[in-house]
Amino acid sequence: MLLHRAVIPCLRQACRLQSVPSRLCIRACSTNDSLQPQCPSLAFSGANSSTRGWRVMGTLLGLGAVLAYHDHRCRAAEKSPHIYTREEVKSHSSLETRIWVTLGCEVFDVTEFVDLHPGGPSKLMLAAGGPLEPFWALYAVHDQAHVREILAQYKVGELSSEDKAPSTLKTSDPYADDPVRHPALKVNSQRPFNAEPPPELLTENYITPNPIFFTRNHLPVPNLEPETYRLHVVGPPGCQSLSLSLDDLYQFPKHEVTVTLQCAGNRRSEMTQFKEVKGLEWNAGAISTARWAGARLCDVLAKAGHQLRETEAHVCFEGLDSDPTGTAYGASIPLARAMDPEAEVLLAYEMNGQPLPRDHGFPVRVVVPGVVGARHVKWLGKVSVEPEESYSHWQRRDYKGFSPSVDWDTVDFDSAPSIQELPVQSAITEPKDGETVQSGEVTIKGYAWSGGGRAIVRVDVSLDGGLTWQVAELNGEEQRPRKAWAWRLWQLQAPVPAGKKELNIVCKAVDDSYNVQPDSVAPIWNLRGVLSNAWHRVHVRVTP
């Protein structure tokens, strides 16, 4: 009877473990193929009933012990966290596969929280399948106890110990030493690295945070030591050249200026949709704004003995990034611009109050306000004044515009000037193309900028493809006449016309010279896909 009291509760408990997917539990509680729980009988008869009874009792006792141990293991497994690899987490990056993220070594399934996210679903989706840390670093509001308490409710496991730290293996790959990038960046090429921020983050702030500033690299990123860095400034005939350390540059008067940089290929993907071009498929994010600080180029050139000339001259820049043949990236600007204090050309060593990040030219880069990004040479190693523009491939055989009729069989790069100042530009960053918006009122956001220091005076927005227009509100720093180096962010809140099931949203900007964007890509298409500044168009659906 003691054995009976010890074993039978275990058997009855095992019979109740319907949630444990174990053949052991099923077989212990079943005597037929119906798999219905039926506990074994303890009734015995016949000559050997006593022996048989003790044997059965022993068997049941052992079975009860096994079942009790199995139950213990099941409960322990429920308490122990599931272990996942980063690859497993990465596979959960859509609503179909569920949205997983990591924080530290913990894994969370935040699918049910996506629509509840205070910053909007699109912001949270940027981290889908990856770590939250890079995004929380951008928004300090997340680093609060109640936010972590909310997140804790969605924990599903932990990262494998092998996946908690990134690999530090060295290889012979020239790009192996490239810096770590922010996961929000939309990558257009890995080698060399080129990426843009997603539109919903691009205009979140007037000043673009360093980690999501668009990145345009032509070659591997050099890893330069600030202690041994030297900038070679070639002097004019009869004058000695300068070899400047970072400390030497710090001795020049420090100048700060807010400048927008835009790649010549920004919005190239729209030209590709019209007709194929050669180049990276930039969307509308190859543009960003930062507060730069450094020495004025005119002060450094004057220190080396240079002055304005009556004849044409160019300041040539050479970077310390190079290809396997030793060819470095190079570009040039007219000497007149470089020597003009009002042009505010910098040899910058700070970006948004911090030393330049490696991807953006550490320790020193050129910043040429109002001029195409291709002339803002990074990892600057040499400056010289020459009678002709740089012989660099990127100055002579790239970054030039041509007629739509010119193809690769007829192109003559010597016939076109190198791009310097860029045309007026604007784009919509919210809502995104293909998005669904609510009926009632829609909020539209974007940016506008023009080259050469020309200020943005107006942004027009249409909800019906350009049939009717409304004027957007301009935000950001006030722009100085002829020195409007930075963009204007803009916003429009407009009622959605009753009964509309879709909106064809269009924007166009006007600068203070009354330059305005063309209405379509066709008349400005060119084989390199540069200078793409047609009206920006976004098509969205409307929910009732």
Side-chain angles (χ1 to χ4, degrees):
M1 291 301 295
L2 291 174
L3 290 173
H4 183 274
R5 292 193 188 101
V7 173
I8 295 305
C10 289
L11 293 174
R12 288 174 178 166
Q13 182 181 20
C15 294
R16 290 195 297 268
L17 292 178
Q18 298 178 6
S19 62
V20 178
S22 171
R23 294 181 180 177
L24 180 60
C25 294
I26 292 173
R27 289 173 180 170
C29 300
S30 177
T31 58
N32 56 38
D33 293 336
S34 67
L35 300 183
Q36 295 299 315
Q38 297 179 11
C39 294
S41 170
L42 294 181
F44 308 108
S45 61
N48 297 321
S49 61
S50 177
T51 303
R52 289 171 56 202
W54 281 109
R55 286 178 180 172
V56 171
M57 278 294 188
T59 301
L60 291 176
L61 180 60
L63 182 58
V66 170
L67 289 172
Y69 177 72
H70 177 72
D71 180 51
H72 169 76
R73 290 293 301 272
C74 290
R75 292 178 182 275
E78 290 176 0
K79 295 179 181 179
S80 300
H82 289 283
I83 303 299
Y84 300 101
T85 65
R86 288 193 186 276
E87 281 301 312
E88 287 178 297
V89 174
K90 188 176 180 180
S91 68
H92 293 275
S93 59
S94 68
L95 293 175
E96 291 73 24
T97 60
R98 302 192 66 82
I99 307 301
W100 288 15
V101 296
T102 65
L103 185 67
C105 62
E106 297 180 302
V107 180
F108 305 88
D109 180 346
V110 295
T111 309
E112 309 306 326
F113 185 70
V114 170
D115 287 333
L116 304 176
H117 185 244
S122 63
K123 300 288 197 308
L124 182 53
M125 288 296 290
L126 292 171
L132 286 172
E133 285 91 342
F135 301 93
W136 282 26
L138 290 176
Y139 301 101
V141 68
H142 292 100
D143 194 18
Q144 299 183 48
H146 76 276
V147 176
R148 292 180 178 272
E149 289 173 6
I150 294 172
L151 183 63
Q153 302 173 35
Y154 299 96
K155 181 174 177 179
V156 294
E158 296 185 355
L159 282 174
S160 165
S161 58
E162 290 80 7
D163 269 350
K164 290 178 183 177
S167 172
T168 56
L169 293 176
K170 297 288 185 179
T171 72
S172 59
D173 182 352
Y175 293 96
D177 197 33
D178 269 17
V180 175
R181 279 84 180 209
H182 197 285
L185 292 172
K186 303 302 181 184
V187 179
N188 287 320
S189 74
Q190 283 284 359
R191 304 179 180 198
F193 186 81
N194 292 280
E196 60 190 296
E200 59 268 37
L201 291 185
L202 181 60
T203 52
E204 187 81 11
N205 301 285
Y206 179 73
I207 298 295
T208 312
N210 290 357
I212 60 170
F213 199 98
F214 91 95
T215 301
R216 176 66 173 110
N217 294 336
H218 296 83
L219 300 163
V221 176
N223 197 353
L224 305 174
E225 296 295 334
E227 295 79 11
T228 58
Y229 171 79
R230 295 295 183 272
L231 172 62
H232 184 54
V233 183
V234 179
C239 293
Q240 192 172 14
S241 296
L242 303 178
S243 179
L244 302 175
S245 66
L246 270 179
D247 285 338
D248 293 331
L249 282 173
Y250 296 156
Q251 303 311 307
F252 288 90
K254 184 178 181 179
H255 186 71
E256 296 189 32
V257 61
T258 303
V259 177
T260 293
L261 268 64
Q262 181 181 216
C263 179
N266 190 32
R267 298 180 55 198
R268 177 181 283 130
S269 59
E270 295 165 53
M271 282 196 173
T272 301
Q273 292 172 13
F274 175 74
K275 184 180 176 182
E276 185 178 359
V277 300
K278 287 187 178 180
L280 295 170
E281 287 293 289
W282 295 106
N283 292 307
I287 183 171
S288 298
T289 299
R291 183 74 176 172
W292 308 92
R296 288 182 188 259
L297 177 59
C298 60
D299 293 340
V300 175
L301 290 175
K303 180 75 172 179
H306 290 288
Q307 55 187 342
L308 281 174
R309 304 180 185 181
E310 295 182 358
T311 57
E312 181 182 5
H314 301 261
V315 179
C316 298
F317 307 114
E318 188 174 294
L320 293 170
D321 51 334
S322 60
D323 65 16
T325 70
T327 302
Y329 183 85
S332 61
I333 62 173
L335 177 63
R337 182 184 292 272
M339 293 297 295
D340 183 2
E342 294 299 306
E344 300 185 276
V345 182
L346 292 184
L347 301 183
Y349 46 75
E350 285 184 6
M351 179 180 179
N352 294 331
Q354 300 176 346
L356 295 175
R358 282 185 60 204
D359 258 331
H360 300 291
F362 180 83
V364 177
R365 74 170 300 165
V366 184
V367 173
V368 192
V371 168
V372 64
R375 313 303 167 216
H376 299 234
V377 176
K378 299 188 283 188
W379 314 290
L380 187 63
K382 180 180 177 182
V383 178
S384 63
V385 178
E386 309 293 345
E388 296 186 29
E389 66 178 0
S390 170
Y391 279 92
S392 165
H393 164 85
W394 294 279
Q395 186 82 22
R396 299 278 182 133
R397 292 293 179 269
D398 204 351
Y399 299 120
K400 296 184 176 185
F402 297 94
S403 166
S405 63
V406 174
D407 58 27
W408 288 100
D409 293 325
T410 60
V411 63
D412 177 9
F413 277 95
D414 292 328
S415 68
S418 301
I419 299 171
Q420 293 284 343
E421 298 178 2
L422 287 168
V424 63
Q425 175 73 281
S426 72
I428 299 162
T429 56
E430 293 185 45
K432 294 190 293 185
D433 189 53
E435 195 172 315
T436 299
V437 300
Q438 298 295 319
S439 59
E441 189 175 68
V442 61
T443 299
I444 306 165
K445 297 181 181 181
Y447 65 78
W449 181 78
S450 191
R454 293 179 288 275
I456 296 298
V457 297
R458 193 178 78 241
V459 174
D460 299 324
V461 181
S462 173
L463 302 185
D464 53 18
L467 297 177
T468 60
W469 298 90
Q470 302 176 59
V471 178
E473 175 187 356
L474 299 179
N475 302 310
E477 294 181 3
E478 290 298 320
Q479 297 185 317
R480 298 170 292 170
R482 312 309 298 173
K483 296 178 71 174
W485 308 130
W487 61 13
R488 297 299 297 268
L489 302 185
W490 56 264
Q491 179 173 317
L492 176 72
Q493 289 183 305
V496 176
K500 283 286 186 180
K501 295 184 178 179
E502 59 182 35
L503 300 176
N504 291 310
I505 307 174
V506 180
C507 75
K508 60 181 175 71
V510 182
D511 69 20
D512 61 7
S513 294
Y514 287 97
N515 298 308
V516 66
Q517 295 170 254
D519 64 354
S520 63
V521 167
I524 61 171
W525 182 93
N526 58 87
L527 77 175
R528 276 290 280 121
V530 294
L531 309 168
S532 180
N533 72 325
W535 295 358
H536 193 220
R537 302 170 184 269
V538 168
H539 179 266
V540 299
R541 295 179 294 275
V542 180
T543 59

